[in-house]
Amino acid sequence: MCGIVGYIGSQDAQEILLKGLEKLEYRGYDSAGIALAHDNGITISKEKGRIADLRKIVDAPGLATVGIGHTRWATHGAPSRLNAHPHQSSSGRFTIVHNGVIENEAELKRDYLSKVALQSDTDTEAIVQLVERFVNEGNSTEEAFRLTLQLLHGSYALALLDAADTETIYVAKNKSPLLVGLGKDGNVIASDAAAMLHMTDRFLEIMDEEMVIVKKDKVTIQKRDGSEVKRAEFIVELNENELDKGTYPHYMLKEIDEQPLVVRKMMEAYLNEDGKLSIDDQIIQAMNETDRIYIIACGTSYHAGLVGKQLIEKLAHVPTEVHIASEFSYNMPLLSKKPFFIFISQSGETADSRAVLVKVKALEFPTLTITNVPHSTLSREADNTLLLHAGPEIAVASTKAYTAQVTVLSILANMIAKDKGIENLSYELAIAASTMEVLCNEKKKIEQLTQQFLTASRNAFFIGRSIDYYVALEGALKLKEISYIQAEGFPGGELKHGPIALIETGTPVIALTTQANVNASIRSNIKEVEARGANTCIISMEGLEEKGDKFVIPAVQELLTPLVSVIPLQLLAYYAALQRGCDIDKPRNLAKSVTVE
Ligand code: F6R
């Protein structure tokens, strides 16, 4: 989703900004632009499409050492050159980039800007026009920016340039992610650290409702009332090489292949001095005191949460509910007396999940974030964090974060379960990691299955029972998001209550069976759809396999099957998208970091 960058220093701002925007590409966007400050004013270049298209049109008159840049994922107004950022005030003095949504945009335009001829359909333009209005009324730029921020309702990460003072970038944040980076001969701003690792690894967190004055050699953080805030910097330990896809054709394939390694890395990270998988006592104690766990997440992380529920309830016998964040936020269920909240988020920035975190924190309930990104908003704001150690996930379709989430949830469930847990979990996870490796080497076979079942199809169904149903949901999500084949996941037993009406001759049905207790019943469901002409692709687990199954997964511990059964489904989605010529790492309309509600 939208990303912003900024630079002020003594180097070539154009290249620094373009490189930063390229690093933000993975977040998803539909247009991009930069503004560069020169002695004679501010030059704006913006374009619909990719950064490569923007590169072709950037035409700066000489070296600029100050600038701001933006990748836009349309919210207000269609993706177009006109709506792309940066936006300027009517006189051209002020230029802004914005990530977020201004909820009271209509009121602001009506009450303050009725006489201004607005150029774009965006909410962002209102912000820059308000700054100009307040400056025209006699305020300094800093004061005008502050007055403007006081009027904004909604989410924003903002960077503002003033053509009359090109030695300052005015920055502010509320709900949308934003960091300030401290360089050797200049400073940077970015939506995430990855965008500016080529400049620095030293960053400052910016909190909601703060405003920052960024100069070449000084960064001043202020509260809304103008009082100064002192903040210690932190070091981002991220290797720039980890952001590279190496010899892989796509990040998604690289990330699928990294999964066995990620499970092993996590086992290492969660091993205590006694060589046992373990989790911080403070977290376990808080969880032991709860009467009900609430898992909050979106998309793939929600699917990992469903597996987590199964693990926690089966092993630790603690009642657990899993909720889609955007639903929970506006329709909170009746809570138990002592709830404990777990937020699962690869990015740690998902606005829907964060909205729930803010609400439950206000109610003073204990919270834990499971995330791949240290220092992310959800990590900072929850009481505790468990990291995924999956390395940067760049492909929009989440793969290694999902298996990492399931891994950490299995360790967590086992810790709360005490002696009722999986005996020798390290051994079972090691088996799962080796099996994942075996499956990642079965690409040819999966590619052929994809051709046989999915490439030419307009729809597909994924079915399973119990924990396999949760993996079926994830398989369907993966397929639909990158290949655009309409795909749905159903519990096998539910088919006859409606969805079976959609089955016709040749409809692909991918059926998972890894659980002994539901093997017979899912096989009956498979017969039911076959009788109606479905083209079934059965993926079973060793020990449960039958003649005619298309793919047999080597056996793993029965609650850890999602770690392995998801891999053929990820690869099916990958090859379906490849065979259909889709943009695998950047599927249409989707963003990696979903920072608006
Ligand atoms: C699907 C996918 C999304 C994310 C969802 C939540 O492949 O990646 O469904 O899982 O947007 O994102 P995070 O986990 O960052 O909160």
Side-chain angles (χ1 to χ4, degrees):
M1 211 151 256
C2 305
I4 67 175
V5 290
Y7 172 73
I8 182 160
S10 42
Q11 298 182 41
D12 176 7
Q14 178 178 313
E15 197 41 43
I16 292 169
L17 295 178
L18 287 171
K19 205 164 167 200
L21 291 180
E22 279 161 358
K23 300 280 183 205
L24 289 178
E25 279 193 298
Y26 79 95
R27 295 164 71 93
Y29 70 107
D30 44 54
S31 52
I34 58 172
L36 295 166
H38 296 273
D39 293 343
N40 48 353
I42 289 174
T43 321
I44 291 188
S45 311
K46 49 187 185 175
E47 198 52 274
K48 186 176 170 210
R50 298 292 179 207
I51 308 295
D53 303 313
L54 175 65
R55 270 195 182 276
K56 286 184 204 143
I57 59 143
V58 175
D59 186 19
L63 178 78
T65 55
V66 182
I68 52 179
H70 189 265
T71 49
R72 174 173 190 256
W73 188 86
T75 53
H76 286 56
S80 65
R81 191 176 177 283
L82 182 77
N83 290 329
H85 299 211
H87 289 283
Q88 274 193 318
S89 59
S90 299
S91 73
R93 176 171 165 186
F94 298 101
T95 304
I96 204 162
V97 291
H98 166 216
N99 168 14
V101 175
I102 302 304
E103 286 156 11
N104 59 338
E105 166 221 5
E107 292 86 331
L108 292 174
K109 287 179 177 169
R110 183 195 62 211
D111 297 346
Y112 294 88
L113 302 168
S114 56
K115 296 201 180 74
V116 177
L118 296 168
Q119 304 297 314
S120 71
D121 308 322
T122 65
D123 50 343
T124 304
E125 194 187 342
I127 310 172
V128 73
Q129 298 287 12
L130 279 170
V131 174
E132 178 147 294
R133 178 188 156 139
F134 291 130
V135 166
N136 288 343
E137 286 172 3
N139 295 289
S140 67
T141 302
E142 183 177 325
E143 203 42 50
F145 191 45
R146 184 171 294 110
L147 287 170
T148 302
L149 296 177
Q150 282 162 5
L151 295 177
L152 304 182
H153 294 172
S155 55
Y156 54 79
L158 297 169
L160 175 88
L161 287 180
D162 176 359
D165 163 23
T166 55
E167 292 182 0
T168 310
I169 305 179
Y170 298 88
V171 173
K173 166 192 151 52
N174 191 43
K175 296 187 189 168
S176 299
L178 187 76
L179 295 171
V180 173
L182 308 169
K184 276 198 205 84
D185 56 358
N187 293 313
V188 295
I189 58 164
S191 294
D192 68 42
M196 281 299 170
L197 276 179
H198 57 295
M199 298 305 295
T200 185
D201 60 355
R202 296 163 50 218
F203 287 89
L204 290 173
E205 282 173 19
I206 308 302
M207 305 299 178
D208 282 354
E209 300 196 353
E210 285 179 346
M211 175 171 142
V212 195
I213 313 289
V214 184
K215 296 194 179 272
K216 182 179 165 183
D217 49 10
K218 194 168 179 220
V219 173
T220 314
I221 305 176
Q222 296 177 358
K223 288 194 189 154
R224 270 265 171 94
D225 61 9
S227 59
E228 201 176 319
V229 180
K230 290 280 170 226
R231 176 128 336 120
E233 62 186 66
F234 67 93
I235 304 289
V236 171
E237 286 162 15
L238 192 63
N239 183 343
E240 234 200 308
N241 297 336
E242 286 189 79
L243 302 170
D244 219 65
K245 67 175 183 287
T247 54
Y248 278 91
H250 299 99
Y251 280 105
M252 183 179 176
L253 197 62
K254 173 177 178 260
E255 288 161 8
I256 290 174
D257 270 356
E258 280 172 354
Q259 294 178 105
L261 181 68
V262 169
V263 172
R264 290 183 185 124
K265 268 179 36 188
M266 290 193 64
M267 287 168 64
E268 226 174 272
Y270 285 98
L271 219 55
N272 67 11
E273 296 118 28
D274 306 331
K276 290 217 168 91
L277 288 172
S278 145
I279 286 193
D280 199 61
D281 283 351
Q282 200 188 327
I283 299 175
I284 300 304
Q285 199 181 328
M287 293 187 75
N288 282 336
E289 283 166 11
T290 185
D291 59 358
R292 187 167 288 257
I293 293 169
Y294 294 81
I295 297 179
I296 311 291
C298 313
T300 289
S301 298
Y302 169 74
H303 296 155
L306 292 170
V307 174
K309 167 189 165 71
Q310 186 99 321
L311 285 159
I312 296 170
E313 291 195 334
K314 289 254 160 77
L315 297 174
H317 309 298
V318 180
T320 303
E321 294 179 17
V322 192
H323 291 270
I324 290 175
S326 54
E327 281 298 307
F328 190 97
S329 204
Y330 297 100
N331 190 16
M332 205 186 279
L334 286 176
L335 299 177
S336 65
K337 287 204 176 70
K338 293 176 112 192
F340 183 92
F341 282 84
I342 301 180
F343 293 83
I344 307 181
S345 173
Q346 186 286 129
S347 62
E349 298 295 349
T350 301
D352 289 323
S353 300
R354 195 207 173 203
V356 180
L357 177 59
V358 169
K359 283 186 184 153
V360 303
K361 269 183 66 165
L363 297 168
E364 296 184 2
F365 295 134
T367 53
L368 163 70
T369 287
I370 294 179
T371 182
N372 200 25
V373 185
H375 308 290
S376 56
T377 306
L378 284 164
S379 164
R380 288 198 311 263
E381 295 184 354
D383 300 329
N384 289 292
T385 295
L386 292 176
L387 289 177
L388 296 176
H389 303 283
E393 191 181 64
I394 307 292
V396 164
S398 183
T399 52
K400 61 177 179 173
Y402 171 85
T403 37
Q405 288 161 349
V406 171
T407 305
V408 79
L409 286 162
S410 74
I411 302 173
L412 190 62
N414 227 44
M415 284 292 289
I416 335 170
K418 298 191 188 85
D419 51 2
K420 296 176 293 204
I422 297 174
E423 214 184 312
N424 205 346
L425 180 63
S426 325
Y427 170 78
E428 300 296 353
L429 283 173
I431 299 278
S434 305
T435 307
M436 291 164 100
E437 219 158 55
V438 172
L439 297 174
C440 287
N441 288 329
E442 293 277 14
K443 294 193 182 71
K444 270 272 149 294
K445 194 163 177 191
I446 304 278
E447 194 175 0
Q448 281 159 7
L449 287 178
T450 312
Q451 234 146 16
Q452 191 183 339
F453 287 93
L454 295 172
T455 311
S457 187
R458 68 186 163 84
N459 60 1
F461 299 108
F462 288 73
I463 62 169
R465 281 178 177 247
S466 183
I467 211 164
D468 289 339
Y469 161 52
Y470 302 148
V471 181
L473 289 174
E474 175 57 10
L477 176 62
K478 263 334 52 119
L479 184 65
K480 77 178 86 162
E481 67 182 330
I482 60 167
S483 74
Y484 317 139
I485 294 172
Q486 191 188 353
E488 305 304 335
F490 295 113
E494 191 62 14
L495 285 169
K496 57 189 172 298
H497 299 291
I500 203 164
L502 295 168
I503 303 291
E504 46 190 42
T505 306
T507 305
V509 175
I510 319 294
L512 271 186
T513 176
T514 71
Q515 305 294 304
N517 67 332
V518 289
N519 183 43
S521 44
I522 191 73
R523 289 203 182 264
S524 308
N525 302 137
I526 294 168
K527 292 268 174 308
E528 285 160 13
V529 290
E530 281 174 347
R532 283 147 185 97
N535 193 14
T536 54
C537 172
I538 305 173
I539 300 177
S540 57
M541 180 136 298
E542 196 181 35
L544 302 177
E545 76 271 31
E546 287 185 13
K547 195 161 163 275
D549 290 359
K550 292 288 185 251
F551 196 91
V552 181
I553 300 170
V556 300
Q557 207 282 344
E558 67 169 359
L559 282 173
L560 301 179
T561 57
L563 290 175
V564 295
S565 57
V566 78
I567 291 182
L569 305 191
Q570 293 168 340
L571 286 168
L572 279 173
Y574 175 81
Y575 285 113
L578 189 71
Q579 288 159 12
R580 292 161 74 99
C582 303
D583 189 348
I584 294 182
D585 286 336
K586 298 187 203 96
R588 71 181 177 211
N589 304 339
L590 293 179
K592 183 71 185 161
S593 193
V594 186
T595 50
V596 294
E597 278 178 56

